DNA sequence: ACCCAGGGTCATA
DNA sequence: TATGACCATGGG
């Protein structure tokens, strides 16, 4: 039932309100492009506080470099990743990514790739899906790509600006068509959506009768959308 | 003792 | 193509 035609004014209005409420976030929380890429993989369905512990482990082990991650035994890597959860899968995914990253010539080569090619390359890695790829494109390679995540769907779904059922690429196209193609804008907007989601735009409480993962669709009595 | 978190892949129908 | 199972830890 949600309106789906891109509406620039509404999207910019929401952006200004988020910025006013939360202040500039200056993302991504990570020092180097490669650390950002690692964080993007590790944060899949995982609280960032857990990811931080895993990245700290990697740093202390001198393993925040693709060559080191690649030649490390999978078991050893999984141990370092333990606090971030899904550590066996993530160890494999990180090594898949690092192998691809080095095979393509690492940063100096990849930074020259056109965005569509870079996106396809990232998606070709087993363990890198659309959101992880776009995190990397936007925050590491500074390409104007609008990241869609669970917080984005929840917030704009509740604002009735976005149909929650739309596909990832469709939802991304919705934002990219309505907003100026601006890296700084996309960067800050997504960061604000996440911060707002953690603080204010909470998940809907479960109704007790059903066990749907994202909350009972009929349990509408809540005051968690924020203003 | 729940519930949730900045997803993605794979097997099945 | 569409749903479900699975992955797993730390914090509220």
């Amino acid at each position: 039932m949600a309106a789906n035609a891109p509406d620039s004014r509404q999207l910019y209005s929401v952006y200004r309100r988020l910025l006013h409420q939360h202040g500039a976030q200056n993302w991504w929380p990570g020092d180097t492009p490669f650390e950002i890429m690692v964080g993007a993989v590790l944060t899949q369905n995982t609280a960032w506080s857990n990811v931080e512990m895993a990245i700290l482990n990697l740093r202390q082990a001198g393993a925040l470099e693709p060559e080191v991650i690649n030649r490390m035994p999978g078991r050893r890597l999984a141990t370092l990743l333990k606090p971030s959860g899904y550590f066996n899968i993530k160890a494999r995914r990180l090594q898949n990514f690092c192998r691809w990253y080095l095979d393509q010539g690492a940063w100096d080569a990849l930074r020259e790739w056109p965005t569509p090619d870079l996106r396809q390359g990232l998606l070709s890695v087993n363990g890198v899906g659309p959101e992880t790829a776009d995190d990397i494109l936007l925050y590491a390679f500074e390409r104007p790509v609008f990241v869609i995540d669970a917080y984005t769907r929840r917030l704009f779904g509740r604002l009735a600006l976005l149909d929650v059922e739309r596909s990832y690429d469709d939802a991304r196209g919705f934002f990219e068509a309505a907003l100026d193609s601006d890296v700084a804008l996309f960067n800050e907007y997504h960061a604000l959506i996440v911060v707002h989601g953690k603080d204010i735009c909470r998940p809907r409480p479960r109704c007790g009768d059903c066990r749907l993962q994202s909350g009972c669709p009929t349990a509408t009595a809540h005051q968690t959308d924020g203003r």
Side-chain angles (χ1 to χ4, degrees), chain A residues 15-33:
Chain A
Y15 174 71
R16 282 192 297 270
R17 290 158 67 186
L18 288 172
L19 186 58
H20 180 261
Q21 181 169 2
H22 300 285
Q25 301 301 310
N26 299 309
W27 263 23
W28 179 287
D31 299 333
T32 67

Side-chain angles (χ1 to χ4, degrees), chain A residues 131 148-155 193:
Chain A
E131 187 190 332
I148 304 298
D149 65 350
Y151 288 133
T152 310
R153 293 183 188 280
R154 192 154 82 205
L155 175 58
I193 289 166

Side-chain angles (χ1 to χ4, degrees), chain A residues 158-203:
Chain A
R158 286 183 189 171
L159 293 173
L161 295 176
L162 179 72
D163 180 351
V164 190
E165 302 302 318
R166 290 174 77 167
S167 72
Y168 184 93
D169 287 325
D170 203 16
R172 183 166 66 93
F174 168 79
F175 285 93
E176 292 182 358
L179 299 169
D180 293 305
S181 188
D182 181 341
V183 173
L185 171 66
F186 289 175
N187 178 318
E188 191 59 46
Y189 207 153
H190 177 67
L192 286 166
I193 289 166
V194 173
V195 172
H196 190 261
K198 292 186 193 182
D199 278 6
I200 294 167
C201 192
R202 306 298 309 162

